[in-house]
Amino acid sequence: MKDSDFVLIVDDNPTNLSVLSQALKGAGFAVRVAEDGESAIELVQHKPPALILLDVQMPGIDGFETCQKLKADPLTQTIPIIFMTALTDTENKVKGLSLGAVDYIPKPFEQAEVIARVRSHLQLKQLSDRLEQRVAERTAALAQAQVQLVQQEKLSMLGQLVAGVAHEMNNPISCIISNMLPAQEYVADITNILQLCQQYHSQLPPELQEAIAQTDLEFLLEDLPNLLNSMQLSTERIKDISVSLRNFARTDTSVKIEVDIHPGLDSTLLILRHRLKGLGQRPEIKVVRQYSPLPKVECYPGQLNQVFMNILANAVDALEEVWQQGKRVDNSLVINVCTEMLEPEFVTIRIADNGIGMTEAVRQQIFECLFTTKAVGQGTGLGLAIAHQIVVEKHGGAIKVNSTLNQGTEFTIVLPVKEEV
């Protein structure tokens, strides 16, 4: 036994206390004694013993009531209790065992039997404690493995989906872009011909003159180049989105590669752009970028993009919530994205919002697996747990959060520039 462990003997008979104490001490056990149930409960609450030998018939509260009180307290309910009694009838044995006792020792008792039973139940308790610890460790390991599997599956599915969409978009976009220039040239030639028709309007057949008058040819010639320019800008916009999708969903290799993290941030923001626009009474969510010159970071870029997506999407959620609750009086909804060199070996990414914020209790649990403050069906509680795993375990970095309720939240990600050898 450890020095801090001891056997507590509770009996109102001084002779029994003395005999049992000497016998157990002689067998190598540390011993403490109590003469009634009240003092036993007080002693146990102050310093729990490894095992209790408890007399049934005592003045004040008897052994049964003492056992019941100890088993009702979460701090003492796992302590093994062995009853000592001359009441050996079946009814009393059943009552004691139903209250949570592990054994009975009949009086008068044999010292060797008491020592053997005490030693046996202490060994059982140690085995039980070890088993509970192993179960807890295995459960934690299983939860961690489940998070990893979910994270890998989400990355795989997201990568395939987004890459597939980007690929399918690429062919029609390329076709439109490649045909835009000749289309503009054809329109220019047709415009010259139509302008000549206007110049010699009076010499044209009556049917052409009437058709020109009905189509408002002058406005058509003026507006058609503008339409083509708008179409060109739109195709360039779609091309940027396609590139951003491919950058966001890029397939990670089995080893880290050196990349610029700024395109990953920009791609994520571009994908979220539809959520940043004003919606009804809610104003546009402004994004303020403050990028510092950074070296390329050795990382898994697809996984980092997933971290950025989760944090930025949560920031949008927080801003929408603070707007709905009417707690942003100045109507300013802002996300700040800042990057800087922390030291020569580390880069820092800070993503801050002036949204709903969180309490200290929530902040303490924010990276725990399956923890979420969102309504059922709106959040899995895996996003930030996976983000923490990607940053800390996969990249050897750190992720921290500071938040003030109704004022905002800031996530800080610290990444090593190079993988430590």
Side-chain angles (χ1 to χ4, degrees):
M1 294 179 63
K2 298 178 182 178
D3 294 338
S4 58
D5 293 337
F6 62 94
V7 175
L8 175 63
I9 305 173
V10 187
D11 198 318
D12 62 326
N13 188 315
T15 302
N16 288 341
L17 287 177
S18 177
V19 172
L20 281 175
S21 294
Q22 292 301 320
L24 290 172
K25 287 178 181 179
F29 295 102
V31 177
R32 290 192 179 185
V33 298
E35 295 183 352
D36 54 62
E38 291 88 344
S39 58
I41 292 173
E42 184 178 351
L43 191 153
V44 170
Q45 290 176 339
H46 176 69
K47 189 171 185 180
L51 181 142
I52 301 174
L53 289 171
L54 181 59
D55 186 23
V56 172
Q57 294 176 307
M58 295 185 295
I61 62 173
D62 63 11
F64 290 145
E65 187 175 352
T66 302
C67 177
Q68 191 172 20
K69 288 180 178 295
L70 291 173
K71 292 301 179 181
D73 188 341
L75 298 177
T76 59
Q77 63 183 3
T78 60
I79 301 172
I81 296 176
I82 300 176
F83 278 123
M84 303 181 298
T85 182
L87 303 174
T88 57
D89 59 280
T90 301
E91 183 180 351
N92 281 287
K93 286 184 178 181
V94 171
K95 180 177 180 181
L97 294 173
S98 66
L99 290 174
V102 296
D103 206 350
Y104 255 94
I105 296 177
K107 291 183 179 181
F109 46 74
E110 293 291 336
Q111 295 183 18
E113 181 183 2
V114 173
I115 293 170
R117 294 197 182 211
V118 167
R119 182 173 284 118
S120 175
H121 284 293
L122 284 174
Q123 290 174 347
L124 287 173
K125 179 64 165 58
Q126 290 173 356
L127 290 173
S128 177
D129 289 344
R130 289 174 188 169
L131 180 60
E132 288 182 4
Q133 182 179 358
R134 292 188 65 182
V135 169
E137 291 172 354
R138 292 292 177 88
T139 301
L142 180 60
Q144 188 76 357
Q146 288 176 328
V147 170
Q148 291 178 349
L149 288 173
V150 170
Q151 184 258 333
Q152 292 170 358
E153 185 66 18
K154 285 180 67 177
L155 271 180
S156 176
M157 293 180 63
L158 179 64
Q160 292 176 24
L161 173 65
V162 177
V165 171
H167 177 74
E168 291 301 320
M169 289 173 57
N170 191 54
N171 289 335
I173 292 170
S174 298
C175 177
I176 296 172
I177 292 175
S178 61
N179 288 317
M180 187 61 67
L181 182 59
Q184 289 175 327
E185 293 175 352
Y186 298 158
V187 168
D189 291 339
I190 294 173
T191 299
N192 288 332
I193 293 172
L194 293 175
Q195 287 175 340
L196 287 174
C197 288
Q198 281 185 308
Q199 184 177 351
Y200 298 100
H201 182 270
S202 60
Q203 302 176 20
L204 296 175
E207 293 84 356
L208 285 177
Q209 293 183 26
E210 184 178 354
I212 290 173
Q214 290 179 352
T215 56
D216 193 359
L217 185 59
E218 186 174 347
F219 173 78
L220 187 151
L221 293 175
E222 180 181 348
D223 193 50
L224 185 57
N226 295 332
L227 292 177
L228 289 173
N229 289 334
S230 296
M231 292 170 63
Q232 185 171 12
L233 290 175
S234 297
T235 56
E236 290 174 356
R237 164 82 176 141
I238 297 173
K239 181 181 178 182
D240 290 341
I241 293 173
S242 177
V243 171
S244 295
L245 288 172
R246 291 200 301 272
N247 286 340
F248 179 82
R250 61 190 304 168
T251 303
D252 286 328
T253 60
S254 58
V255 295
K256 296 176 181 176
I257 59 175
E258 293 185 348
V259 297
D260 182 357
I261 63 172
H262 290 148
L265 286 165
D266 290 336
S267 297
T268 307
L269 288 167
L270 188 60
I271 293 171
L272 286 171
R273 185 172 178 179
H274 69 287
R275 295 196 61 194
L276 302 175
K277 295 179 179 179
L279 181 64
Q281 297 292 324
R282 197 211 76 192
E284 177 186 4
I285 297 174
K286 297 179 181 178
V287 177
V288 179
R289 296 175 175 88
Q290 294 178 310
Y291 293 167
S292 299
L294 298 179
K296 290 186 176 181
V297 176
E298 205 171 78
C299 65
Y300 301 107
Q303 295 186 21
L304 278 187
N305 289 344
Q306 185 184 1
V307 174
F308 300 151
M309 173 63 77
N310 189 273
I311 294 176
L312 286 166
N314 283 344
V316 175
D317 290 341
L319 290 168
E320 289 180 340
E321 186 174 354
V322 80
W323 172 260
Q324 290 170 1
Q325 295 185 11
K327 295 179 179 179
R328 182 64 61 234
V329 180
D330 57 4
N331 292 342
S332 64
L333 303 177
V334 182
I335 296 176
N336 289 287
V337 183
C338 307
T339 63
E340 61 181 349
M341 288 293 297
L342 183 63
E343 297 175 10
E345 299 86 9
F346 295 91
V347 300
T348 300
I349 305 104
R350 296 198 310 276
I351 300 174
D353 64 72
N354 62 340
I356 196 66
M358 64 185 80
T359 64
E360 180 61 20
V362 170
R363 191 189 71 82
Q364 293 288 343
Q365 302 177 77
I366 200 69
F367 296 117
E368 293 181 8
C369 182
L370 302 180
F371 175 79
T372 180
T373 59
K374 296 178 181 178
V376 175
Q378 296 182 5
T380 63
L382 290 174
L384 287 176
I386 292 173
H388 185 274
Q389 185 183 83
I390 291 173
V391 172
V392 177
E393 297 182 18
K394 296 293 186 70
H395 292 86
I399 180 169
K400 298 178 290 186
V401 57
N402 290 315
S403 185
T404 303
L405 192 62
N406 297 323
Q407 293 188 24
T409 300
E410 180 181 73
F411 283 87
T412 302
I413 302 169
V414 180
L415 297 170
V417 175
K418 297 282 186 180
E419 182 178 12
E420 294 185 5
V421 180

